[in-house]
Amino acid sequence: LEQGWDKTAGLKKLFYAGPMFRAERPQAGRYREFWQIGAEYFGNPSPQADADMLLLIRDVLGAYGLKEPKFFLNSIGCAACRPAYRKILVDFLAQEAEGLCEDCRRRMDRNPLRALDCKVDGPRLSGAPKMADHLCEDCRAHERELDELLSSAKFVFEKSPRLVRGLDYYTRTVFEVTAPGLGAQDALAAGGRYDLLVKMLGGPDVPAIGFALGMDRVARARYGEALAGDAVDGSPRVFVALAGGGTGKAGFQVLQDLREAGFAAEIGAPDRSLKAQMRWADSWKALWVVIIGETELARGGAVLRNLKDSTQEEVPLSGLLAKLHSIKDNIS
């Protein structure tokens, strides 16, 4: 609206990527500062736009090497059919009010759909009326065509009747993408069709669909908890520790070899004790430490220590990179 695109653009595809900040209490997978990729498609009401966005997410995650993300889809209706469903749902929730959590009792008037995906009450509301049973014919046709388009593209997805969006400008298709191993905060990406938003902000009727993808969570899903936030361009961190006065030159060469091989690498200060360097490696969130000691160096080797499981072994310097690449590939 600020750029006047509603008057001139017709169809428009936009994306962004960068740091975001949230006010809620940080927890696993929900950082105070986090990185996000988003994409928005304005002007196309067709299910083809929905399919286009979902396939884009699949391709982005696939290009990053993420295996088998799970896609969940639902239709939450439109301005024609959702008001009637909302009334039916509120009546149902009113009968369950005594057993509802504080959040859901507060949501009953503002956004009752959110009760369906509540972590506390959601499981016990299995008998709640489903939006799928109250869709108008236009919404049913939109959903059928989207299902056919995705199936023809060999796109694997599941229907999730409890998947909702609490904001009133969302319509029809909503979706969420999850990955195993992320705990309660397992959503990698989420989005949906928001055909009512532009008009609510004072513009004309402009259909739109979009998504947001959490880069931090994708990194955790791809590399595991040990490597989340601890990589540069997907490279695990390796710290080179120096244990002895004559190890500086060899340690510096190992540092350069690691960086040239694609690892994020740092080296300790030669005047620091090994204990202090290990603390530095831990605070830097290194996954491995290569300890260059005088005794091992005389044998042409070094100690490779895994900070995650506190195991270590002596490896020849000539085979260090191959060893690290082998471990890295097994983690990936």
Side-chain angles (χ1 to χ4, degrees):
L1 291 173
E2 290 177 347
Q3 301 299 322
W5 289 336
D6 58 303
K7 302 178 180 64
T8 61
L11 301 180
K12 194 164 191 68
K13 293 183 176 181
L14 307 167
F15 79 94
Y16 63 88
M20 308 284 165
F21 298 85
R22 62 165 50 90
E24 302 99 316
R25 178 175 58 86
Q27 53 187 290
R30 288 177 63 83
Y31 306 119
R32 177 75 71 210
E33 179 183 14
F34 59 100
W35 288 72
Q36 186 167 289
I37 296 172
E40 321 294 336
Y41 189 177
F42 289 92
N44 189 347
S46 169
Q48 292 181 4
D50 306 30
D52 199 17
M53 296 298 265
L54 286 161
L55 292 170
L56 174 60
I57 300 172
R58 183 191 68 177
D59 292 346
V60 167
L61 296 178
Y64 191 64
L66 195 63
K67 299 176 182 178
E68 300 179 353
K70 292 186 176 181
F71 287 78
F72 298 92
L73 276 66
N74 191 25
S75 175
I76 58 172
C78 66
C81 56
R82 194 161 63 224
Y85 169 71
R86 178 187 172 110
K87 184 178 184 309
I88 293 171
L89 178 61
V90 169
D91 290 344
F92 172 84
L93 294 175
Q95 296 175 13
E96 304 287 331
E98 286 191 11
L100 296 178
C101 69
E102 182 179 345
D103 285 340
C104 284
R105 286 197 296 270
R106 189 169 58 249
R107 289 165 177 159
M108 283 178 58
D109 292 327
R110 291 189 305 167
N111 46 11
L113 272 67
R114 288 296 309 278
L116 298 177
D117 67 355
C118 173
K119 295 292 189 292
V120 177
D121 291 330
R124 59 179 290 270
L125 297 177
S126 58
K130 295 180 173 61
M131 185 71 229
D133 298 329
H134 299 273
L135 295 175
C136 64
E137 186 50 43
D138 286 344
C139 287
R140 292 184 193 280
H142 188 101
E143 185 179 30
R144 282 195 301 268
E145 184 175 345
L146 174 59
D147 292 351
E148 292 169 0
L149 290 169
L150 294 175
S151 297
S152 68
K154 296 181 173 56
F155 181 92
V156 179
F157 64 95
E158 296 180 29
K159 288 299 184 70
S160 178
R162 310 188 73 80
L163 180 60
V164 298
R165 290 288 178 268
L167 299 169
D168 289 339
Y169 52 73
Y170 278 101
T171 59
R172 294 183 175 167
T173 307
V174 294
F175 53 85
E176 189 169 275
V177 189
T178 68
L182 294 182
Q185 303 296 337
D186 62 350
L188 302 176
R193 179 166 283 283
Y194 50 95
D195 291 346
L196 303 179
L197 179 57
V198 175
K199 188 172 185 179
M200 287 176 66
L201 292 175
D205 278 316
V206 178
I209 185 169
F211 69 83
L213 182 150
M215 297 162 68
D216 305 281
R217 293 191 190 177
V218 172
R220 288 179 63 218
R222 175 68 174 85
Y223 292 106
E225 182 68 33
L227 302 183
D230 310 333
V232 177
D233 295 331
S235 302
R237 295 183 176 187
V238 184
F239 190 91
V240 181
L242 306 175
T247 60
K249 184 177 179 180
F252 192 74
Q253 184 59 57
V254 169
L255 175 73
Q256 304 311 310
D257 292 342
L258 287 166
R259 289 174 174 173
E260 289 178 9
F263 290 91
E266 187 57 88
I267 191 168
D271 61 340
R272 297 288 185 89
S273 69
L274 181 59
K275 185 176 182 180
Q277 292 181 71
M278 295 298 288
R279 285 199 299 266
W280 184 3
D282 188 59
S283 65
W284 188 59
K285 298 184 179 179
L287 180 57
W288 301 300
V289 176
V290 179
I291 303 173
I292 309 294
E294 291 178 310
T295 302
E296 293 81 12
L297 186 59
R299 294 194 292 262
V303 173
L304 179 61
R305 182 172 179 81
N306 186 320
L307 291 185
K308 182 181 180 183
D309 57 20
S310 299
T311 60
Q312 66 181 43
E313 60 180 305
E314 185 173 337
V315 297
L317 287 175
S318 59
L320 176 63
L321 294 180
K323 178 70 174 180
L324 284 169
H325 276 300
S326 174
I327 299 172
K328 177 184 173 184
D329 290 343
N330 287 335
I331 291 177
S332 302

